[in-house]
Amino acid sequence: MCPEWISEVHMPEDLKKERGNLFNMGRPTRVLRKSSYSQGEDEAPRSSTDNSIETHQKAKPRVLQKPTEMNWPLVTRPLNKSSVQGNKWKKPAATQEKRRSLLHEFCKKYGGVKDSQSNLFRMVSRIYVEDKHKILYCEVPKAGCSNWKRVLMVLNGLASSALNISHDTVHYGKHLKTLDSFDLKGVYMRLNTYTKAVFVRDPMERLVSAFRDKFEHPNSYYHPVFGKAIIKKYRPDAREEALNNGSGVKFKEFVYYLLDAHRPVGMDIHWERVSKLCYPCLINYDFIGKFETLEEDASYFLQLIGAPTELKFPTFKDRHSSDERTSAHMVRHYLKDLSQEERQRIYDFYHLDYLMFNYTAPHL
């Protein structure tokens, strides 16, 4: 059994019974204001050493503007395939249509507006903009985001090759703009006319990949901020050294933190749900790529947006290159120390991502 402090996470009853509305679709329009917003419980803490830091910081404070009415969800447009050449893209094209259709039907049935107070600029804060080729890319950590940022920099003329851009330049160089750096008119125009892409990954694999990256290697941010708090709350009789440096967090302890309704430290984008990072039932993405078919999906996407033929999506591992990539086999190794109830609770936590992107539920 899980400790009593673990939160109850259940599949919504309306989703189980295939009725009702997951996000209160009854409101077709929303009034959106550009205003300041504070860090919430579910937003990753900011730090100069945190990989989740925005690469385009805003120097000026938010300015209140006249309310702008926007219709949600945004209209889904057919993919522009005028740049696609050759018959070899028939399979990925068909795959895209299936993914788009599945997500559209899910959102039509369950999606929509969750909260009339939601802030547009927070919803688009993880979307990167490449104006030259009219691309919007929503960043999903642990799903190839570092290499996608490299590609965006090349497309934008900021680098000649994606292979020569360092990790620090990608994440801390402030070269790429995020959509929330534009005014309301600019945001709305780009949402309605640019090709919007999101790349996702099996939720369990993404979770284990994030844990391995942040807690199994030295890290000057995640150990003292997350590690110390996790060890203090979830490890009985923790040694003084572990309490002081936050190193050595166990996966089971990390899971306790993830499922705790009263986490000692907030959520982080590296394990936050895609449904809360990219708002796929509001943004209506034109292209849905998957980490599991990354090479093929990336090649097809670059064809679609008319990228230079010499530009190829990087295939190298961005960090800890000597480590084996997180796979389904490796995930099973990490899950074996968890109870069936704990594994079920992780699935329940990520169930929207499983359903929206048609991932198979793991063997719980």
Side-chain angles (χ1 to χ4, degrees):
M1 294 290 292
C2 295
E4 62 182 1
W5 39 259
I6 293 286
S7 65
E8 289 291 339
V9 184
H10 294 294
M11 184 83 72
E13 290 300 320
D14 56 353
L15 199 56
K16 287 181 180 178
K17 299 175 182 179
E18 294 190 348
R19 71 184 187 190
N21 190 312
L22 201 59
F23 299 127
N24 301 325
M25 279 185 67
R27 299 171 127 138
T29 61
R30 307 177 60 190
V31 175
L32 299 161
R33 296 174 174 84
K34 186 168 185 177
S35 59
S36 61
Y37 53 84
S38 61
Q39 178 180 301
E41 188 274 334
D42 281 340
E43 184 175 358
R46 303 296 186 185
S47 164
S48 60
T49 58
D50 180 11
N51 293 344
S52 69
I53 277 185
E54 297 284 1
T55 57
H56 182 72
Q57 300 287 353
K58 277 65 67 178
K60 297 181 180 180
R62 301 290 193 199
V63 178
L64 288 173
Q65 296 185 357
K66 181 180 178 180
T68 298
E69 195 171 77
M70 292 177 65
N71 294 319
W72 296 97
L74 298 173
V75 176
T76 302
R77 299 176 293 112
L79 280 172
N80 181 359
K81 302 177 183 178
S82 60
S83 298
V84 178
Q85 298 178 357
N87 293 326
K88 70 175 183 177
W89 304 113
K90 285 185 177 181
K91 180 182 176 182
T95 298
Q96 274 306 307
E97 293 309 316
K98 288 180 181 178
R99 291 174 183 171
R100 282 158 46 103
S101 177
L102 186 144
L103 180 58
H104 176 75
E105 290 303 314
F106 176 88
C107 293
K108 183 179 178 181
K109 193 169 188 178
Y110 300 109
V113 177
K114 180 180 180 182
D115 180 1
S116 60
Q117 301 303 313
S118 292
N119 189 292
L120 168 67
F121 292 89
R122 181 163 184 163
M123 289 195 298
V124 302
S125 64
R126 304 238 65 88
I127 297 179
Y128 286 84
V129 180
E130 200 285 286
D131 283 314
K132 185 177 180 181
H133 294 81
K134 298 185 176 181
I135 300 168
L136 297 181
Y137 162 72
C138 187
E139 175 189 32
V140 177
K142 312 313 298 178
C145 70
S146 296
N147 281 335
W148 271 117
K149 288 182 183 179
R150 289 183 171 93
V151 168
L152 292 180
M153 290 178 66
V154 174
L155 289 172
N156 203 38
L158 298 171
S160 58
S161 170
L163 302 177
N164 302 324
I165 307 173
S166 70
H167 178 86
D168 286 352
T169 299
V170 167
H171 290 284
Y172 314 130
K174 302 181 182 180
H175 299 295
L176 297 171
K177 292 183 179 181
T178 49
L179 191 52
D180 62 338
S181 64
F182 297 88
D183 61 18
L184 283 172
K185 183 179 179 181
V187 171
Y188 195 35
M189 179 274 290
R190 287 170 175 81
L191 282 173
N192 279 282
T193 60
Y194 283 25
T195 300
K196 302 177 292 293
V198 61
F199 278 73
V200 299
R201 186 177 187 177
D202 177 276
M204 289 285 192
E205 285 192 20
R206 185 170 163 252
L207 178 67
V208 172
S209 177
F211 172 78
R212 295 178 66 209
D213 181 23
K214 304 307 178 188
F215 295 102
E216 292 187 348
H217 294 273
N219 192 295
S220 60
Y221 173 70
Y222 283 90
H223 290 190
V225 175
F226 286 87
K228 288 170 67 173
I230 289 172
I231 291 172
K232 181 179 180 180
K233 184 166 185 179
Y234 310 119
R235 184 181 298 179
D237 304 319
R239 294 183 178 181
E240 194 68 24
E241 182 180 2
L243 291 171
N244 288 336
N245 60 34
S247 298
V249 171
K250 299 174 183 177
F251 185 67
K252 193 180 186 75
E253 296 167 336
F254 176 63
V255 169
Y256 288 167
Y257 146 80
L258 181 77
L259 302 178
D260 192 349
H262 306 286
R263 300 184 191 99
V265 62
M267 281 292 289
D268 182 88
I269 64 169
H270 291 85
W271 46 85
E272 180 60 282
R273 294 146 287 190
V274 178
S275 56
K276 297 191 71 174
L277 288 173
C278 298
Y279 298 88
C281 279
L282 293 177
I283 303 298
N284 272 359
Y285 289 92
D286 303 298
F287 192 95
I288 302 166
K290 290 192 173 184
F291 187 81
E292 294 77 10
T293 53
L294 184 55
E295 186 173 350
E296 182 178 64
D297 291 348
S299 297
Y300 180 51
F301 181 74
L302 292 175
Q303 278 276 324
L304 282 170
I305 55 98
T309 55
E310 65 271 15
L311 177 59
K312 307 298 180 184
F313 186 80
T315 57
F316 61 83
K317 201 170 185 289
D318 188 58
R319 302 181 73 211
H320 315 307
S321 57
S322 62
D323 288 1
E324 181 184 350
R325 286 189 184 274
T326 303
S327 62
H329 173 75
M330 190 174 293
V331 169
R332 287 192 291 272
H333 171 75
Y334 280 81
L335 293 182
K336 68 180 177 62
D337 293 330
L338 304 181
S339 68
Q340 182 176 353
E341 181 182 0
E342 289 164 344
R343 295 195 296 270
Q344 178 66 51
R345 287 172 182 269
I346 298 175
Y347 170 75
D348 291 345
F349 183 81
Y350 288 107
H351 74 274
L352 284 183
D353 287 1
Y354 275 100
L355 296 173
M356 287 178 171
F357 303 110
N358 197 30
Y359 280 108
T360 303
H363 296 290
L364 301 174

